Amino acid sequence: MKRREALQGVSFLVLSLGAAELAFGASIVAVRVWPAADYTRVTIESDRPLAAHHLMAQNPERLVIDIDNLELSPALRDLVGKVRPDDPFIAGVRVGQYQPRVVRLVFDLKQSVRPEQFTLMPVAAYQHRLVFDLYPTQATDPMVALVAEKAQAEREAAQSVQDALGELIGKVDKPVLQPAPAPGAMGPGGSPSPAPTAPLQTPAPPPPPSRELKDRINRLIIVAIDPGHGGEDPGAIGPSGLREKDVVLQVALQLRDRINKKPGMRAVMTRDADFFVPLYDRVNKARRVQADLFISIHADAFFTPEARGASVFALSQSGASSAAARWMAKKENAADVVGGVNTNVKDAQVLKALLDMSTAAQIKDSLKVGSEVLRNIGKVGRLHKRDVEQAGFAVLKAPDIPSILVETAFISNPTEEQRLRDPEYQERLVEAIFTGVERYFAKNPPLSRNRTS
């Protein structure tokens, strides 16, 4: 019975794809593995569509994939060397010709996974892609790590207050004590000198912490940092080959470290390595930790290499503020197509619908923080526009989180591409963004959040 059902499924697949598309002899163009703590992606790129099915095996945990109408090739064997030792999910892979026209891949796993399989049509520089995403069966709740960091931040903040009070008390003037006379020394009139007694000093009790200080310790400001693109999606590429996904990750990691040094603030990354994150999931990550601010970092390109300068964008409910803003939003919103999203996941479709419910209040706050950031970036280098622009960026659609997108520079401009490579420029850029964020929260303190610990 099972064999009959399997054969019926294969027949349906053949009928749906057509004889030409399933012609024997597809060539493997490339194989790629993108490991990350969130999930590991395996991509098999070919010049024709590939049909495959998979199953999970236990004792030990294995993912078995059979690819039909395919001969084993050196390009496919390369998959063995693509697995990194630090991959959190894959321990190794074996590749072989299982049947005359079936190639079998066996992934030895480090933990139980929930695989998702889907295909992608040719787009950008890619041909047909067969994709396997390996998710953990027990996903880590980001709030768990954040609560631990919050507790540590509170301890550090409290300790810094105590250290400051101790230093203040230590600077209080104390009476100068006379040195004690040597044994047998005589005082005035020939009488022995009495031993001096130091006056008792009762240190003043430290003042009780103010309400403002208590609120600052108890209320951690959470900033979600979103490095654009990643993994299968390189983003824009500069004249000398600098990839947007690489440089914005460098800037984002530095911004994370700068924010984490500030007492009472904590940064959460949508990605901290080279892997792809769908647009809706970037927003969802920020919402899951109740972020107070969302910052997406990019370094885009334009039609001509003359375009230059940094920009800051907020969401718009009524059209883009300029033709360039509209073009950029359309380009950034296409990242899911290049990066590769499994459109069959129902949760993703529901979340996309929810994120369309943007609010006027969110946009108003986004413009405020965007103005602060833009003003400080203008002190570092040239601005493309002196006002915060607006467009329908999908990644800015969290209805309850002020959200901005920072275009650090035009990577398509040769001069600005070189500046983006410069560690000193990156450091100044990070400091400018941080200063803008800090000033925004100084003027607009976030509302109280219920304690989670």
Side-chain angles (χ1 to χ4, degrees), residues 248-288:
V248 298
L249 179 60
Q250 294 171 6
V251 172
L253 290 171
Q254 293 179 55
L255 181 59
R256 176 198 64 182
D257 295 341
R258 182 65 183 89
I259 288 175
N260 286 345
K261 288 180 182 178
K262 174 74 175 179
M265 294 183 72
R266 185 66 47 183
V268 175
M269 302 282 289
T270 60
R271 71 175 180 96
D272 56 5
D274 186 13
F275 63 98
F276 175 72
V277 183
L279 297 175
Y280 66 85
D281 201 31
R282 295 170 188 264
V283 182
N284 190 36
K285 286 186 174 186
R287 299 189 77 206
R288 288 178 67 190

Side-chain angles (χ1 to χ4, degrees), residues 95-427:
V95 182
Q97 192 75 46
Y98 178 58
Q99 292 179 4
R101 292 191 175 187
V102 178
V103 170
R104 171 164 286 187
L105 313 177
V106 179
F107 291 88
D108 298 309
L109 304 174
K110 295 180 180 178
Q111 59 174 290
S112 179
V113 302
R114 175 177 56 84
E116 290 185 5
Q117 172 188 332
F118 57 100
T119 58
L120 299 170
M121 296 296 289
V123 64
Y126 294 116
Q127 298 188 47
H128 295 275
R129 285 177 287 174
L130 175 64
V131 180
F132 294 89
D133 287 343
L134 278 56
Y135 292 93
T137 54
Q138 297 292 332
T140 303
D141 188 342
M143 284 299 293
V144 174
L146 190 61
V147 166
E149 291 185 356
K150 178 180 179 180
Q152 179 64 25
E154 289 177 343
R155 287 192 293 270
E156 292 174 356
Q159 186 60 51
S160 66
V161 172
Q162 292 297 325
D163 293 345
L165 289 173
E167 184 179 351
L168 179 63
I169 293 172
K171 292 180 179 179
V172 175
D173 291 334
K174 296 179 179 179
V176 179
L177 299 180
Q178 297 294 331
M186 304 298 291
S191 60
S193 296
T197 58
L200 294 176
Q201 295 290 324
T202 303
S210 64
R211 182 181 183 85
E212 178 184 357
L213 181 58
K214 287 181 179 178
D215 291 342
R216 191 173 43 140
I217 294 174
N218 291 334
R219 180 57 166 91
L220 191 66
I221 295 175
I222 302 171
V223 179
I225 305 174
D226 172 50
H229 309 282
E232 295 281 288
D233 177 18
I237 300 176
S240 68
L242 182 64
R243 299 182 300 186
E244 181 182 4
K245 69 171 183 177
D246 296 329
V247 70
V248 298
L249 179 60
Q250 294 171 6
V251 172
L253 290 171
Q254 293 179 55
L255 181 59
R256 176 198 64 182
D257 295 341
R258 182 65 183 89
I259 288 175
N260 286 345
K261 288 180 182 178
K262 174 74 175 179
M265 294 183 72
R266 185 66 47 183
V268 175
M269 302 282 289
T270 60
R271 71 175 180 96
D272 56 5
D274 186 13
F275 63 98
F276 175 72
V277 183
L279 297 175
Y280 66 85
D281 201 31
R282 295 170 188 264
V283 182
N284 190 36
K285 286 186 174 186
R287 299 189 77 206
R288 288 178 67 190
V289 296
Q290 302 175 44
D292 300 292
L293 176 63
F294 181 92
I295 305 175
S296 191
I297 300 177
H298 292 256
D300 217 337
F302 203 59
F303 293 112
T304 63
E306 288 77 22
R308 60 187 303 175
S311 305
V312 176
F313 293 86
L315 186 65
S316 171
Q317 286 182 311
S318 56
S321 56
S322 69
R326 185 183 304 108
W327 182 85
M328 284 188 175
K330 183 178 180 181
K331 186 172 181 293
E332 293 297 352
N333 291 346
D336 277 356
V337 179
V338 179
V341 172
N342 185 2
T343 56
N344 296 322
V345 179
K346 292 182 180 179
D347 291 344
Q349 296 169 352
V350 172
L351 184 58
K352 284 180 180 178
L354 289 175
L355 296 182
D356 281 335
M357 298 186 298
S358 56
T359 65
Q362 183 260 29
I363 294 176
K364 181 179 179 181
D365 288 335
S366 300
L367 291 170
K368 287 181 181 178
V369 65
S371 296
E372 294 287 353
V373 170
L374 188 66
R375 186 178 301 114
N376 283 276
I377 290 179
K379 300 175 183 178
V380 175
R382 179 172 175 171
L383 295 178
H384 184 65
K385 295 282 186 178
R386 296 202 167 271
D387 296 314
V388 178
E389 293 202 79
Q390 293 180 259
F393 290 90
V395 80
L396 302 181
K397 289 189 175 182
D400 47 3
I401 305 174
S403 304
I404 60 172
L405 186 145
V406 178
E407 291 286 0
T408 54
F410 278 92
I411 201 170
S412 53
N413 182 290
T415 302
E416 295 205 335
E417 181 193 24
Q418 293 306 312
R419 296 190 74 188
L420 288 169
R421 289 184 187 275
D422 184 4
E424 182 180 347
Y425 175 75
Q426 290 184 10
E427 184 178 351

